[in-house]
Structure formats: C-alpha cells, structure tokens
Amino acid sequence: MVKICCIGAGYVGGPTMAVIALKCPDIEVVVVDISKPRIEAWNSDTLPIYEPGLDDVVKQCRGKNLFFSTDVEKHVAEADIIFVSVNTPTKTRGLGAGKAADLTYWESAARMIADVSKSDKIVVEKSTVPVKTAEAIEKILTHNSKGINYQILSNPEFLAEGTAIEDLFKPDRVLIGGRETPEGRKAVQALKDVYAHWVPEDRILTTNLWSAELSKLAANAFLAQRISSVNAISALCEATGANVSEVAYAVGKDTRIGPKFLNASVGFGGSCFQKDILNLVYICECNGLPEVAHYWKQVIKINDYQKSRFVNRVVSSMFNTVAGKKIAVLGFAFKKDTGDTRETPAIDVCKGLLGDKAQISIYDPQVTEDQIQRDLAMNKFDWDHPMHLQPTSPTAVKQVSCVWDAYEATKGAHGLCILTEWDEFKTLDYQKIFDNMQKPAFVFDGRNIVDPEKLREIGFIVYSIGKPLDA
Ligand code: NAD
C-alpha cells in the first residue's frame, strides 16, 4: 500500500488529503501537524475549518485510510510520498520584509524530513512557494542525509475556500512539475497515478518544476487582477452614472474575456492573493524587472483604494461623521461559505469606521467573536513601510460588539454594511430591518447582493458598489 503523509493540516492540507483518501482507498493518508488543537479538531466532530461537504468526506474515510496525527516524524519516516502544505506567509522582518515569502516553516519541515528519512522519498510542494524553491529544498535535503534519493515535485493547489471539495472533486487542472531526469519522470508518474484515480488524464498537466511553481503565483495574480480591474471600473461607474454590473456583463460577453470573476466588490481578501502578488513583486525585483514588479503592485494598490473608498463613502454619506453612530456589519469572513478571516476586507473597513469613532455591531454566521476581536486588535502591516506598524487603539475594540443574528446587529443602527456575500443576507426581511433602524437608514452593499431598487422602495438610502447613487 502506498503511504502518503501531508505536513500541515490547514485549509489546504486537510481537505486535499481527505479527498485523496476518499478517491484512493488503496492509499493510506496521514495528515500531520505540530498544532495539537488542530489535530484534535480534525479527529473530533467539529472540524477546525468550515467548508461545505468536508464533514461528509472526512466521516467516510477517517479511521479507515485517513488519519490525523501530531506524530510528525513517525509518519514522515514511513511515507513514500510527502506533501508539504505548511503556511508560507509574507515575511514581516528582515530581507524582503513586506513582500518575500517566509519559508521558515518550509525549511524546518525539509530539515525534519532529512533527519528522519531512511528510505527514498517523493517530496511534493503543495504550499504556494516562490519559483526556484525546489532548488533550495533539494539542497537542504541532500546536504543533510546520505544515500537517500529525494525527488521534489511542485503540485500547487488551485482550490478556492468555500468550494474546496467541489474544486478537488472536479479540478480544472492538476499541475505537476518535476525534474526532466529519469528519476524525476518516475516521480511525476507516481503522483499522476494518485490523481488518475479520479481526475481525467487530459486535466493532469505536467511541466518543468519552475513552470509549475510560477504558474500558481501567476494564476493568483491574474485572478486578483480581474477583481482590481472591475473594481477600478466601478469607481469610474460611480463618477459617471454607468452601472458596473451592466458594464461587467457586456465586457464578459466577449468570449476572449469571459463572464467569471467580474463582480465588483469592496475588495478581495483571503490569505493568498495579496501575499502571492507581493511574492511575485519581490521575485520580479530580485530578477531585475522593476517595471513588471510595479505593474503587479498596482493590483494591491487598487484593492486598498477600493476598501478606503468604501469607508469614505459610508462616512461621507452619513453627513460626514459616524462618531457615536451604530453601524451594523453583516459578514466578516473574506468570502461566503468559509469562516476564514485572513486579510478579509472587513478588517480594514471596520478599522476605518472605528477610526471615525463608530460603534460597530457585527454578525457573521461562521466567524466567532474571539476571532473578530483578535483581527481588529492586531496591528496592520504597512506594506510600503514595513518597519512601521499601524496600531489599533485598544479602546477601538471596545466599540465593537458581535451578535449572532442579522436583526440584532441592525437594531437601532444608523447604517448597514454588507461585507460578505453570504446567501442568507440576500433573503433577509429588509422591511423589518428598516423599521428597526434609525432614519434615514443607510445600506452600503459591498458585495452587490441586494437589489438597490427594492431597498429604495422600502425607504433605505442605498449605496451599491459601482452603481448609480440616490439622487
Ligand atoms: P494554514 O495556516 O491553514 O495551514 C498550515 C498548517 O501547517 C498549520 O496548521 C501549521 O500548524 C502547520 N505547520 C507549519 N509548520 C509545520 C511543521 N513544520 N510541521 C507540521 N505542521 C506545520 O495554511 P493553508 O491555508 O492551508 O495554506 C497552506 C499553503 O497552501 C500556503 O502556502 C498557501 O499559500 C497555499 N494555498 C492556500 C490556499 C487557501 O485557499 N488557503 C489555496 C491554495 C494554496
């Protein structure tokens, strides 16, 4: 029986391995992590992450051919194929701070693999890493162990949180990069054999290592760029009376462009887009390509601009101050169907409103109060000036309350901001909400999920991103 071990039981490692275990009953899969609470949660009825369909997959194979463990070294030593799916955040200190990927976790995983391995291994980069990381990993592995053959593969993950299981069941493509040597080709084939259990052959792409590593950064940069592009157009729509939904529909009808990922919003979030673009920017700079670096950096600048534009719109609409006013915030996760708040635009929007002394009442169906308070208390990293942290004052956090109901959040509020596109926000009783709010009652729809005309009929003053404003 082939044995797989995955280092890192996070948003990627957990679901990816659960699906491999489900689709490959002839393979034993062990997911290991240094975090005891995370592993305990994976072994319990309350999984550490919320992802539609995940509970069902885990229940079907946990204890059969899927295991979660903190005994990292034992399972790494026993595995034939080791996926490494540890976090690769942006460096906050030292060389490349604010842009480069922090590969500390990766390096310690690689050193541990070298320490405990007694047989040949295929080591798979599942984390998103800078192009050429495989070269560094090879050096660490081969210089630290003798007589063992390591084949490094790049197999970046393209799943999106909120649709992870669907994406893993039916991936647009599986990408595998390897060395163009006989051993390299054998390793690529071994990984292809795993995916071939359920992924059609024409969807499994093989490339050289550097193409695979770079493709993941490029894919995230392209996706984020589409969002920043439509958001940039949304600002122009508001200035001119055009409607961004109509513009996006017309633009997306061009088959060369396509309709997906063209929704204007308060901005993108999540742990990946910003960090991967910053990483790309850093790699371009290191390779003497400042113009290319500048080009990609604009994607992040527009995203920051969109968030501050939203805050400014809220404050200016509400007679230039929100001091002492209650603002209801519906949604805190960076997108629907996840509880993940990493880099969520809600953090910056809430901080902006708190800066103007608003009282905020937040409701999100999957985000806990602790998580929200922690996110809002955290210092914001200043990407342009990495040595300067922008502190949130501790009193600001006292201006925040978290409730478990949209109606409770909006009771007595002067304004309502929709910051995550949860389906339940589309079907709320807005008449009831209006009746319980201060007047004039404002709605600021940061995801364009409610019909502004219907809300206007109720009596709300409505701002939807990129759409004509109230007269
Ligand atoms: P995560 O923070 O949720 O999980 C990483 C896990 O690795 C943590 O549980 C951590 O405790 C563990 N870990 C770190 N060092 C370890 C070590 N030495 N030994 C054992 N465990 C260790 O991160 P994530 O969201 O799953 O992302 C992982 C990687 O996948 C990142 O590189 C990310 O960019 C990439 N990625 C993420 C997504 C996504 O949607 N989250 C999608 C595609 C790719």
Side-chain angles (χ1 to χ4, degrees), residues 8-18 31 33 37-56 58 62 68 85 159-165 168 271 334 337-342 366-367 371 422:
Y11 286 88
V12 168
T16 314
M17 292 304 123
V31 192
D33 204 294
R38 223 169 199 185
I39 290 298
E40 277 171 3
W42 279 111
N43 282 321
S44 77
D45 286 338
T46 313
L47 301 185
I49 60 176
Y50 172 71
E51 192 64 62
L54 177 64
D55 284 42
D56 193 41
V58 170
R62 194 173 55 194
F68 296 93
S85 186
L159 68 76
E161 285 175 35
T163 52
I165 298 301
L168 289 163
S271 65
F334 84 93
D337 292 336
T338 180
D340 195 353
T341 61
R342 291 178 290 181
Q366 284 297 331
V367 183
Q371 207 174 333
W422 286 102

Side-chain angles (χ1 to χ4, degrees), residues 64-102:
K64 289 184 192 147
N65 66 330
L66 174 67
F67 304 91
F68 296 93
S69 170
T70 47
D71 201 344
V72 179
E73 298 187 357
K74 173 180 181 284
H75 294 292
V76 165
E78 289 174 357
D80 306 296
I81 302 177
I82 302 164
F83 285 83
V84 184
S85 186
V86 298
N87 30 335
T88 51
T90 306
K91 268 183 97 171
T92 52
R93 282 173 207 287
L95 183 66
K99 290 183 204 150
D102 182 350

Side-chain angles (χ1 to χ4, degrees), residues 4 20 36 40 45 53 61 93 106 117 133 202 230 236 290 317 321 323 381 385 421-422 451 458:
I4 287 180
I20 290 182
K36 203 168 164 239
E40 277 171 3
D45 286 338
C61 30
R93 282 173 207 287
W106 238 105
S117 292
T133 296
D202 61 349
V230 76
L236 194 54
S317 304
T321 180
F381 196 80
H385 309 284
E421 70 281 23
W422 286 102
D451 181 345
I458 293 173

Side-chain angles (χ1 to χ4, degrees), residues 53-292:
L54 177 64
D55 284 42
D56 193 41
V57 175
V58 170
K59 265 187 204 135
Q60 285 187 61
C61 30
R62 194 173 55 194
K64 289 184 192 147
N65 66 330
L66 174 67
F67 304 91
F68 296 93
S69 170
T70 47
D71 201 344
V72 179
E73 298 187 357
K74 173 180 181 284
H75 294 292
V76 165
E78 289 174 357
D80 306 296
I81 302 177
I82 302 164
F83 285 83
V84 184
S85 186
V86 298
N87 30 335
T88 51
T90 306
K91 268 183 97 171
T92 52
R93 282 173 207 287
L95 183 66
K99 290 183 204 150
D102 182 350
L103 294 178
T104 319
Y105 303 103
W106 238 105
E107 184 167 341
S108 86
R111 287 181 187 279
M112 182 271 299
I113 295 171
D115 275 354
V116 304
S117 292
K118 298 203 168 39
S119 56
D120 294 351
K121 306 282 181 212
I122 295 173
V123 178
V124 184
E125 293 174 345
K126 195 42 128 174
S127 307
T128 304
V129 290
V131 53
K132 288 287 187 185
T133 296
E135 205 167 63
I137 303 299
E138 267 170 358
K139 274 196 191 115
I140 292 168
L141 290 171
T142 50
H143 284 261
N144 282 289
S145 47
K146 290 186 191 78
I148 292 176
N149 182 279
Y150 293 102
Q151 285 304 316
I152 320 294
L153 301 179
S154 165
N155 172 221
E157 185 47 60
F158 294 101
L159 68 76
E161 285 175 35
T163 52
I165 298 301
E166 219 178 298
D167 297 342
L168 289 163
F169 278 179
K170 283 190 174 186
D172 288 342
R173 78 303 210 186
V174 165
L175 179 58
I176 304 174
R179 286 276 187 203
E180 285 151 324
T181 59
E183 291 92 347
R185 278 192 275 273
K186 221 171 122 191
V188 168
Q189 188 57 48
L191 190 55
K192 272 178 94 171
D193 290 344
V194 172
Y195 285 108
H197 281 75
W198 80 99
V199 181
E201 202 182 338
D202 61 349
R203 294 204 173 200
I204 305 178
L205 318 181
T206 55
T207 64
N208 80 27
L209 268 171
W210 322 130
S211 304
E213 287 178 337
L214 187 55
S215 296
K216 174 63 193 177
L217 294 179
N220 272 356
F222 272 59
L223 288 169
Q225 181 207 44
R226 264 175 96 94
I227 299 174
S228 279
S229 294
V230 76
N231 282 344
I233 294 296
S234 77
L236 194 54
C237 286
E238 287 167 33
T240 58
N243 179 328
V244 75
S245 298
E246 292 173 356
V247 174
Y249 182 72
V251 169
K253 273 287 175 191
D254 187 323
T255 51
R256 293 168 301 176
I257 297 170
K260 291 189 182 163
F261 241 64
L262 282 180
N263 292 332
S265 70
V266 63
F268 61 75
S271 65
C272 293
F273 283 176
Q274 176 162 294
K275 106 174 148 63
D276 292 348
I277 292 176
L278 288 167
N279 190 348
L280 194 63
V281 166
Y282 183 67
I283 295 166
C284 291
E285 285 171 358
C286 291
N287 282 283
L289 300 166
E291 288 80 6
V292 185

